[in-house]
Structure formats: structure tokens, C-alpha cells
Amino acid sequence: MHFHRPQTLENALALIADQPARILAGGTDFFPSLGARPVMEPVLDLGKIEALRGISCRDDVWRIGATTTWAQIARADLPAQFDGLRAAAREVGSIQIQNAGTIAGNLCNASPAADGVPPLLALNAEVEISGRAGPRVLPLSEFITGVRKVALEPGEIVTAVLVPDHAGARSSFLKLGARRYLVISIAMVAVTLDLDAGGAISKAAVAVGSCSAVAARLSSVEAKLVGSKPDAAALADLFADELFAELSPIDDVRASASYRREAARELVIRAIVAAAKGGA
């Protein structure tokens, strides 16, 4: 096995231009994904590339570097639109995992239960990708194509997550699991809202994870919310079961499909109320 730790993105791209390699970022999913197998292929460690770290805003777009850790996101001084993402960051594994795990690693792992995906979907996030042909940008909704599948071509690396600045937006994230920490979610929900002067919802983004092969925005729920008051009782009457038909939950050891669907409905209501109150 060959282990590479370049200090620039250019060197990293050059190393994988002619030979495939396993990408190592935070490493929290790297070895668990191997099972009992030894590492035979070359490994490319991105941890020393300074250009892939940090959070900045330019031209009304927030840029979160690919190897920015969840602990850094949780502690970052960010506007209210990121409250949901910061809440999700605090739910990723344990403190140790948050200190090492990266935002791009979470996306590239492409688990249906990846904590970072719903809040980023609700923020209209895009994924910045670099390769031999130069950089390109994909909506997150197009980047994750299935369970453990992403739209990366050979020789490409995720370099950042891009989020449009949305002044005045507020967001929240809720996760349901069998215990408080170190848990794979039964269901999770992220919400981003705009409220008008009268306190009614003028714009909404709602994303649900762990209830389908890929976390997804619920367009029918979003449309139904416009003009509504973010009140729990009113929302319970508003949400008919068919609004959640876009979900395709499964039965597994953590929960039944029917329980997941009902849990998602309740979490959406709670997340909307929390976002409206300005709490993550």
C-alpha cells in the first residue's frame, strides 16, 4: 500500500490523475468501511491541504472547505440560517468523531442516515468538485445518487460545500434515535424558513433523512406551508398523510417503515416550530 499526504490540491489531483486511490479525510468512516479487509490500494490523505479547510463568505456565497470538521462547524460564528447545520454538527457521533469527521466525508459516504445531508439540502447547498478538467459545481440533490453512491468521476475530489447567503432565514434540525448519542437515526428533519411581517411562513425548505435511500426535500410539504402560521396544532391539521408520500422508509432493526413515516411527520412539525422561534 502507498500512502500519500500532499500539501496542495494541485499535488493531490496529480497523484490521482493516473491511478485510483482511496480518499482519506477525517478517517472516521474509512476503516469501518473496510471491515476485515486490509488496505491494498493507494491512500490519499487530504488532511494537510490548507485550502480545503475553513469557512468564509464571498459574493453572497458561504464556502465550507471539504475537510472542515463538524466541531469547527458547531463552534463557528454563523448566521441563523446555519442553526440547523450547527445543531446537526453536534449530533454527529461523539465529540471525538466531531473533532475528526469532515463535512465532505459525511456527504461522500452517502449514508441514508448522514446527519449533514438534510440541513444542507434545506440550505440549497451545492458541492464544489475539482479534477483534471477543472472545477465544477453540482447541487447536493444531484451529488448523492444512491446508497453509498455519489457523482464523482475518477480523479475528482470534493473541495467545498457552497451555500447561498440567505439573510433573515432561520433553521432547525431534529434527530430521533434509540438513544441520545452515538446513534444511527430512525428519522431526522431539517427546516429552513422565512417569515413575513405577520409571522406567517413565506418560504420553506423541508428535508428528511433516514426515511428513504437518499435524504430528500419534501416539495409538497413546502408548498403547503406557505402562508401558514408556525403553530404546532395548526400544522398537525395541515399535514395529511399523502404529503409524506415522497418518503420511502424501510423496516429494519431500528424501526418499522410506518413508525418512521409518522416520526418524520411529527419531527417536521416540531422542527418548523423550533425554526420559527429561532432555535436549532
Side-chain angles (χ1 to χ4, degrees), residues 23-24 33 56 70 128 130 138 145-146 173 238 244-245 255 275:
I23 304 298
L24 173 65
S33 70
S56 60
W70 289 111
E128 179 187 273
S130 292
L138 277 180
T145 59
F173 172 84
L238 184 70
F244 292 82

Side-chain angles (χ1 to χ4, degrees), residues 61-126:
V61 175
W62 288 90
R63 187 179 193 276
I64 306 174
T67 60
T68 303
T69 67
W70 289 111
Q72 290 168 335
I73 292 169
R75 293 193 290 261
D77 184 15
L78 295 167
Q81 74 175 98
F82 288 98
D83 283 352
L85 181 63
R86 294 173 69 241
R90 296 190 291 269
E91 295 284 349
V92 176
S94 62
I95 297 296
Q96 295 90 335
I97 296 296
Q98 293 163 23
N99 285 337
T102 66
I103 187 169
N106 194 251
L107 302 186
C108 291
N109 193 40
S111 165
D115 294 312
V117 178
L120 288 170
L121 283 173
L123 289 169
N124 293 311
E126 295 181 316

